[in-house]
Amino acid sequence: MYSVTKRINFCYGHRLLDYDGMCKHPHGHNAIVEIEVRTEVLDRRNMVIDFSDIKRHIKEWIDRELDHRMILRHDDPLVKVLQALGEPVYLLDSNPTVERIARLVFDVSREQGLPVDRVTMWETPSSWATYSG
Ligand SMILES: [Zn+2]
């Protein structure tokens, strides 16, 4: 198998509800997300996929939807407050853990036609999560 990986950096804020730890308070991360695409056969350019295709598919979406936003559970009381102030939020159906955000990036990549095999997302340099479908 061949695989290529594109690394994308972005910043986000979040907090976890129904959770007893530091992450119940609003805080931010400098995230790194790695998009891995695999194939058995290379295309006519001798590529798994052009890195610029990964960038076009998913980096632009991350920049537009997640970068410098608060990612919150839909029923978080902070949502109404931030929206009233005109602050950008991205809402999830469940707690915005690094695992859940990795899955979000995976699902959006697939929806956009990117044959992604695995998404790994670093919340800190020593903590990361992987989702592979
Ligand atoms: Zn956090």
Side-chain angles (χ1 to χ4, degrees), residues 19-78:
Y19 174 79
D20 190 22
M22 290 291 282
C23 290
K24 68 182 180 183
H25 303 294
H27 63 284
H29 294 284
N30 294 316
I32 299 169
V33 64
E34 287 187 349
I35 315 287
E36 182 179 346
V37 179
R38 286 170 168 255
T39 183
E40 285 184 29
V41 182
L42 300 179
D43 68 13
R44 59 183 172 73
R45 302 168 297 183
N46 246 7
M47 293 178 176
V48 172
I49 189 170
D50 194 331
F51 289 113
S52 66
D53 289 339
I54 302 177
K55 184 177 175 183
R56 178 169 46 80
H57 278 287
I58 195 63
K59 183 178 186 305
E60 289 177 9
W61 183 86
I62 288 173
D63 287 349
R64 187 175 65 246
E65 300 292 336
L66 302 182
D67 189 38
H68 284 82
R69 284 178 183 252
M70 287 295 286
I71 304 175
L72 297 169
R73 200 171 86 183
H74 67 96
D75 58 346
D76 190 317
L78 265 183

Side-chain angles (χ1 to χ4, degrees), residues 12-16 22-23 25-29 96-98 123-124:
Y12 72 100
H14 72 162
R15 74 169 177 178
L16 304 182
M22 290 291 282
C23 290
H25 303 294
H27 63 284
H29 294 284
T97 58
V98 66
E123 187 175 72
T124 71

